[in-house]
Amino acid sequence: MAVEKGAAQWQVVGRSVRGASHERAGQPNQDAIHWLAEPSTGLPLILAVADGHGSSRYFRSETGARLAVEIGARVIYDFLVSQAGVDNLSVIKRTAEEWLPKMLVRRWLEAVGEHTSAHPLSEAELGSLTITRGAADGEAAQSNMTLAYGATILIVGVAESFILYMQLGDGEMLTVSDKGEVSKPLPADERLFANETTSLCAPDAWRDFRVCFQATSHTSPAAILLSTDGYPNSFRDETGFLQVGSDILEIIRTDGLERVKDSMETWLMDSTRAGSGDDVTLGIICRTDVIASSSEQVSQTQSLNPGNDVTASEFKNEEDQSAALSVRGSIE
């Protein structure tokens, strides 16, 4: 989808695939992705990615993730529309940091409550939880029904003069400059380690959001990538994952975003099968002025795989390295 306002033009694509381990276990894809844009002007543009917790304790997390991206995108969209006439970026920044996390969490909790009212927790769900996790978790689910819907969320909102980044829990955001330099707009959360993560279902979850406000009066990223943790966890180290940002920008420049879109599912499936085994979701926003515009450029491309100079040994799962070939990335 292409979006435009004035001189600023952007496109967004995304994909999500069920993890190899979830396929083997017969579990659903617990990731979700969603985007919104103003119909007539294209801005603001909102992209949201969520990851439902995989533990049996969070047995409705795929629904929690879906609600998170839909509600999160709507909350940020409505906020940015309401700020269209505000010239003071400092005021917008302060309001975004102080108000948006509270509103997003509140709306998500309301949606979870509505879903639970329409679809009460069944005896089968609670019984299965008690068997797998014990009586204490079964009782906890009954006393706090939001636990079943636990999920993390990443959101980026692009406005005419600024970009807003928000994240709760694990997953990764990358920005790529016109020169191909990759960086992270948000600071790391030291509480995220092993399988532990902050979550929408936690008490006072709004306090755990990380927020970055970036004015774009002079420059803006060439591309922004959002991914659930299944993607970066497919690499042996962070260096391999960060290379994906510049690799994908190069593919966009030489082959165009449509070729990236068409290849996403294959990339992501290869990533989960040869890497983490987790669900994998990737969303990409990029400026249209960096996209290939001629068939001559496309014909010069040697590979459509991000990181085509990297061997399969960079993935964690050595048993499935042959299936990885030289693919770095995964999308949706």
Side-chain angles (χ1 to χ4, degrees):
M1 179 186 70
V3 294
E4 175 180 356
K5 185 173 183 179
Q9 300 181 45
W10 302 84
Q11 286 193 4
V12 55
V13 295
R15 287 287 297 171
S16 183
V17 300
R18 183 167 62 152
S21 63
H22 285 186
E23 286 187 354
R24 291 191 293 267
Q27 295 176 323
N29 183 350
Q30 294 165 331
D31 283 0
I33 185 170
H34 186 66
W35 56 80
L36 283 175
E38 205 284 324
S40 61
T41 63
L43 290 178
L45 168 63
I46 318 297
L47 171 64
V49 167
D51 183 356
H53 305 326
S55 168
S56 58
R57 185 182 189 188
Y58 310 99
F59 50 87
R60 289 189 176 181
S61 64
E62 70 273 17
T63 300
R66 176 181 58 80
L67 293 175
V69 295
E70 293 174 357
I71 291 166
R74 174 54 61 181
V75 167
I76 307 304
Y77 174 87
D78 289 345
F79 171 76
L80 295 187
V81 168
S82 72
Q83 302 299 305
V86 179
D87 295 327
N88 191 328
L89 294 184
S90 295
V91 172
I92 299 175
K93 176 180 182 292
R94 184 170 62 252
T95 306
E97 292 172 343
E98 296 177 356
W99 181 81
L100 277 179
K102 294 178 182 178
M103 179 58 65
L104 194 158
V105 172
R106 190 180 83 182
R107 294 278 179 83
W108 182 80
L109 290 172
E110 290 172 351
V112 166
E114 292 173 1
H115 188 272
T116 304
S117 296
H119 308 278
L121 302 185
S122 68
E123 292 184 4
E125 288 175 317
L126 293 173
S128 177
L129 178 62
T130 300
I131 292 172
T132 57
R133 300 281 300 191
D137 274 22
E139 293 172 0
Q142 288 180 298
S143 62
N144 180 9
M145 296 183 183
T146 61
L147 285 174
Y149 296 80
T152 63
I153 186 167
L154 304 88
I155 304 178
V156 60
V158 181
E160 187 174 13
S161 58
F162 64 89
I163 300 175
L164 179 65
Y165 307 87
M166 296 180 63
Q167 181 171 356
L168 173 67
D170 53 26
E172 291 289 353
M173 286 189 185
L174 301 179
T175 59
V176 190
S177 72
D178 288 278
K179 296 181 179 180
E181 299 166 337
V182 181
S183 60
K184 296 183 179 183
L186 292 168
D189 188 338
E190 298 301 327
R191 294 168 297 176
L192 309 181
F193 61 92
N195 291 322
E196 298 296 324
T197 183
T198 50
S199 171
L200 283 165
C201 69
D204 296 328
W206 62 272
R207 298 181 183 274
D208 296 324
F209 269 89
R210 287 166 281 159
V211 182
C212 174
F213 185 94
Q214 179 185 41
T216 56
S217 54
H218 300 296
T219 184
S220 61
I224 304 169
L225 281 66
L226 275 63
S227 75
T228 54
D229 68 332
Y231 192 13
N233 287 348
S234 294
F235 298 90
R236 289 189 180 276
D237 54 45
E238 186 178 60
T239 301
F241 171 65
L242 292 177
Q243 183 66 34
V244 170
S246 55
D247 287 349
I248 286 181
L249 178 61
E250 183 62 26
I251 293 173
I252 291 171
R253 279 178 163 153
T254 56
D255 291 350
L257 194 61
E258 280 299 310
R259 299 298 294 273
V260 172
K261 177 182 176 181
D262 292 343
S263 303
M264 274 186 163
E265 185 170 2
T266 298
W267 295 346
L268 297 182
M269 290 302 301
D270 285 343
S271 177
T272 184
R273 289 168 180 166
S276 66
D278 196 4
D279 302 326
V280 180
T281 298
L282 178 65
I284 303 171
I285 298 175
C286 72
R287 297 199 327 263
T288 56
D289 61 295
V290 306
I291 299 174
S293 58
S294 73
S295 59
E296 293 181 0
Q297 288 177 303
V298 173
S299 66
Q300 294 172 2
T301 302
Q302 295 180 351
S303 173
L304 291 180
N305 287 340
N308 62 340
D309 58 332
V310 178
T311 65
S313 63
E314 292 218 7
F315 286 99
K316 289 183 176 179
N317 187 346
E318 295 183 359
E319 293 181 359
D320 294 329
Q321 284 174 3
S322 59
L325 299 178
S326 58
V327 179
R328 268 190 192 276
S330 58
I331 300 172
E332 155 131 333

